[in-house]
Amino acid sequence: MEIQVVVPSHKRADRVSTTLLVPWAKLCVPESQADAYRVANPGIEIIEHPDSIPGLCRKRDWIYRRFGNVLMLDDDLTGFNRLYTEPGEAYEVDPATAYEIIQRTGWTARQVGAYLWGFAHQPNPVTYKSQKPFVLTGYVTGCAMGMLSGSKLYFDPAVRCNEDYWVSLLNAYYHRRVFKDMRFCWLQKDTFKNRGGLSEIRNLDVEREDFEYLRRVFGDVVELKKPSSAKKSLRHPFEKQISLPY
């Protein structure tokens, strides 16, 4: 089993950074933008999807149906780091090692019976718990979302900006288990500051509608997030979290 790495992208032909970290990754773009991406990203395989598949949810679903065993990465990632370090050690993961980590993590997910898999989403090494290097339940961030074939998972296009919450909740309902290697983390840019991608449609109204829809479908396990301290505010009032009963 080989995990394919696919990077969905939209209107960022000249601003893709993820392929510097994983140069074997495939870029998945609308057919009308494919030529621009080929010019701006020489040597990178471009996968075209029909322009009739709008939005990230439909794009992710198309990618999953086509590739099955896949890791979907955001197009604007800036690093892949180890979270366990000693003073003076290098923490950046090189592309060759990244390939091995991706393949091993996907293989391990298959062995433990998980269909949804990924990595830590907090880049601060202080948050790493050495006694808990692996996690088997919860949320998998959309910036680095691994999926395996044979599941009951799909992406609902009614969810416009929070498809990672949708599929994490759906996975909890059908399959219960995820596999996350908390020793590694992909670094991403601020969701609200990068042009292109979901930035064209993301606003407070869409975030509110997504939150309300997720609550209607999955109930009160979907909660509004509270600030972790008086000094640290939320990015917007509809930031959410998942609180599973197991």
Side-chain angles (χ1 to χ4, degrees):
M1 179 184 77
E2 182 175 9
I3 304 299
Q4 300 296 317
V5 178
V6 180
V7 179
S9 190
H10 174 69
K11 293 187 177 180
R12 289 178 179 166
D14 60 347
R15 289 180 291 116
V16 174
S17 58
T18 302
T19 49
L20 298 175
L21 309 175
V22 281
W24 66 89
K26 302 172 174 61
L27 281 170
C28 183
V29 305
E31 56 188 358
S32 60
Q33 300 176 32
D35 288 344
Y37 272 88
R38 289 192 176 94
V39 170
N41 300 273
I44 302 298
E45 183 176 353
I46 306 298
I47 304 296
E48 302 179 29
H49 68 75
D51 290 336
S52 58
I53 300 176
L56 187 55
C57 262
R58 289 185 174 91
K59 186 192 294 270
R60 286 198 189 277
D61 208 64
W62 187 87
I63 291 171
Y64 182 44
R65 302 306 158 196
R66 173 162 177 169
F67 292 98
N69 302 316
V70 64
L71 175 66
M72 288 181 258
L73 298 177
D74 279 0
D75 60 6
D76 56 355
L77 300 181
T78 59
F80 185 40
N81 289 358
R82 281 193 301 123
L83 295 182
Y84 60 98
T85 60
E86 296 293 336
E89 279 190 331
Y91 53 84
E92 300 92 347
V93 176
D94 63 83
T97 305
Y99 177 85
E100 297 299 329
I101 292 170
I102 290 166
Q103 299 303 320
R104 183 184 63 211
T105 308
W107 179 87
T108 306
R110 180 67 84 189
Q111 303 314 301
V112 302
Y115 292 102
L116 185 64
W117 56 277
F119 304 90
H121 62 273
Q122 294 291 342
N124 188 346
V126 173
T127 66
Y128 173 67
K129 299 178 181 178
S130 59
Q131 303 299 321
K132 199 173 182 180
F134 308 112
V135 170
L136 297 178
T137 63
Y139 162 77
V140 173
T141 176
C143 85
M145 179 185 292
M147 302 180 73
L148 298 179
S149 61
S151 78
K152 296 181 179 180
L153 301 179
Y154 64 93
F155 293 89
D156 186 342
V159 180
R160 300 172 67 190
C161 291
N162 293 269
E163 79 291 339
D164 47 358
Y165 283 92
W166 166 269
V167 82
S168 293
L169 288 158
L170 192 66
N171 179 79
Y173 178 78
Y174 279 125
H175 304 301
R176 291 294 193 265
R177 186 176 302 161
V178 303
F179 180 76
K180 293 170 64 175
D181 191 332
M182 306 301 286
R183 300 173 299 173
F184 303 97
C185 181
W186 298 87
L187 278 59
Q188 59 186 131
K189 292 184 178 179
D190 190 291
T191 300
F192 289 85
K193 294 183 179 179
N194 197 9
R195 292 177 292 110
L198 282 177
S199 297
E200 292 186 345
I201 63 169
R202 190 189 297 274
N203 56 48
L204 287 183
D205 286 337
V206 171
E207 290 286 353
R208 174 182 53 78
E209 290 166 4
D210 276 3
F211 172 74
E212 291 173 350
Y213 184 71
L214 291 171
R215 287 273 293 191
R216 286 198 300 272
V217 176
F218 295 106
D220 57 10
V221 298
V222 185
E223 303 173 339
L224 287 176
K225 187 181 292 186
K226 297 179 181 178
S228 57
S229 70
K231 295 182 179 179
K232 188 173 181 180
S233 61
L234 300 176
R235 289 177 299 172
H236 63 80
F238 298 104
E239 277 198 69
K240 63 198 68 61
Q241 62 186 17
I242 297 172
S243 180
L244 297 175
Y246 58 88

